[in-house]
Amino acid sequence: MLSHARTLPSGSLVPKHSQNHGLAIACMPARPQSRQQRRRARAVTVTADLQSYLLPAAGLGVALAGVAALRLNGYSRLEYVTAAMLSRHVKRGGARVLQLGGSTRDLFYYPEGTLQVTVGGPQVGAMWEQAGVQAKVPVVAVTAEKVLSSQAGSTLDSVVLLNQLQQWADVEQLLAQVYRVLKPGGTLVFIQRLRGGPLQGLLGGGGGVEPGVVDSVQQYAGWDFAQLDALLENTDPHAVGVAIKPLSAGAESGGAAGSVDAAAFKQLMRRGGKAKQKQQQQQQQQGGGFGTAR
């Protein structure tokens, strides 16, 4: 009964006519694809290839756009704060200023009538003086590294430090020099990057200091008023601060008359007194810290 079938090596039984039919199908030549079918096949292949490249590239583009937006936002806020600090805390009319760090854009933020801005640092060049002409602020560029110590005592209305604290191994020495060159009632204005921002590495931030270094600026014994605030805490944290040398310091030499307006200073002192009381309360509760006034 099994004469028309044969046994395969696997032991299965397959009818002869089925084997012959399968062999016939295998031997039949494939029907050639039409031109439209070939085009569709190529289109599918190209689309798959493009998706394999474009999807990761699109994700990378979105990430880069996000980083660029964060940088632009941080840069804009820093520029705004720098402009506000210089315009508010440098006296109007006849101020003599020493600026360390920053860029030529800062010259446009000084109050009208600023008498002179001395800019110091090893990379300071003629471009600063040219920018001063455009900003209508007389600029003296000094390339000497010890430009601060070379200034005479009680001759400056403001000292501006922009990301400079990391340049000094002894911040107390820096503050002593700043205090020495300021006139009574003169202001120290500073903006300083801090270490530890969650996105600092991604945003290219560098040259920061520990928050304790900035605290030492506020706690310097010579100031009559000192206030700090924080900026860009969630991305690239910076400390922004102002400190004022007492009007009584060197008053016997008549230095106070050419310094910050006395009424404005008293107003700051009243604000500082309230802030000092608040700070003392916070110190009792938390032990004090960054971001308060004294």
Side-chain angles (χ1 to χ4, degrees):
M1 293 177 64
L2 300 176
S3 59
H4 64 282
R6 67 184 180 87
T7 304
L8 296 180
S10 61
S12 60
L13 298 178
V14 179
K16 287 183 178 180
H17 67 85
S18 298
Q19 296 176 19
N20 295 335
H21 180 67
L23 181 63
I25 293 176
C27 295
M28 290 179 63
R31 180 180 297 178
Q33 292 182 333
S34 66
R35 181 178 299 179
Q36 185 176 7
Q37 290 175 328
R38 289 196 298 270
R39 287 179 178 176
R40 289 177 179 175
R42 284 197 298 269
V44 171
T45 302
V46 170
T47 301
D49 290 341
L50 286 176
Q51 288 178 346
S52 64
Y53 287 104
L54 290 180
L55 289 179
L60 178 60
V62 171
L64 292 176
V67 171
L70 285 174
R71 284 185 175 181
L72 180 60
N73 177 65
Y75 169 80
S76 300
R77 292 184 64 185
L78 278 174
E79 284 294 302
Y80 176 82
V81 170
T82 301
M85 293 295 289
L86 295 181
S87 62
R88 294 175 185 175
H89 299 297
V90 175
K91 76 167 188 176
R92 294 185 176 276
R96 291 184 179 273
V97 182
L98 172 64
Q99 176 177 323
L100 302 179
S103 68
T104 55
R105 294 186 302 273
D106 306 328
L107 299 176
F108 293 86
Y109 305 145
Y110 283 103
E112 185 178 356
T114 299
L115 188 62
Q116 179 178 296
V117 176
T118 301
V119 183
Q123 298 180 347
V124 172
M127 62 178 180
W128 280 88
E129 297 178 352
Q130 297 172 0
V133 173
Q134 297 178 352
K136 298 181 181 180
V137 175
V139 173
V140 176
V142 181
T143 56
E145 295 183 1
K146 298 182 178 180
V147 59
L148 180 57
S149 60
S150 65
Q151 300 293 312
S154 299
T155 55
L156 297 175
D157 296 286
S158 292
V159 174
V160 178
L161 303 178
L162 302 177
N163 281 316
Q164 290 296 296
L165 297 184
Q166 72 275 5
Q167 306 293 340
W168 292 74
D170 188 346
V171 177
E172 286 289 324
Q173 182 183 6
L174 167 64
L175 296 175
Q177 289 286 355
V178 170
Y179 190 89
R180 180 186 65 84
V181 301
L182 282 175
K183 293 179 181 179
T187 57
L188 164 64
V189 179
F190 68 93
I191 299 176
Q192 177 63 50
R193 174 178 277 116
L194 303 175
R195 291 177 185 168
L199 300 179
Q200 210 161 59
L202 184 63
L203 298 176
V209 300
E210 296 296 334
V213 176
V214 178
D215 284 335
S216 66
V217 178
Q218 180 189 20
Q219 297 164 2
Y220 184 71
W223 308 129
D224 247 345
F225 175 86
Q227 185 167 0
L228 303 179
D229 205 348
L231 178 69
L232 301 175
E233 302 99 313
N234 297 326
T235 53
D236 186 13
H238 283 67
V240 181
V242 59
I244 302 178
K245 182 176 179 178
L247 281 171
S248 58
E252 65 278 3
S253 64
S259 187
V260 173
D261 179 74
F265 180 77
K266 289 179 180 179
Q267 183 179 4
L268 285 175
M269 289 299 293
R270 286 195 296 270
R271 290 170 52 198
K274 295 179 182 178
K276 191 170 185 178
Q277 293 176 0
K278 183 177 179 181
Q279 180 192 18
Q280 291 173 348
Q281 294 174 356
Q282 290 177 345
Q283 287 177 340
Q284 292 175 357
Q285 297 175 359
Q286 304 175 0
F290 172 75
T292 58
R294 72 170 182 83

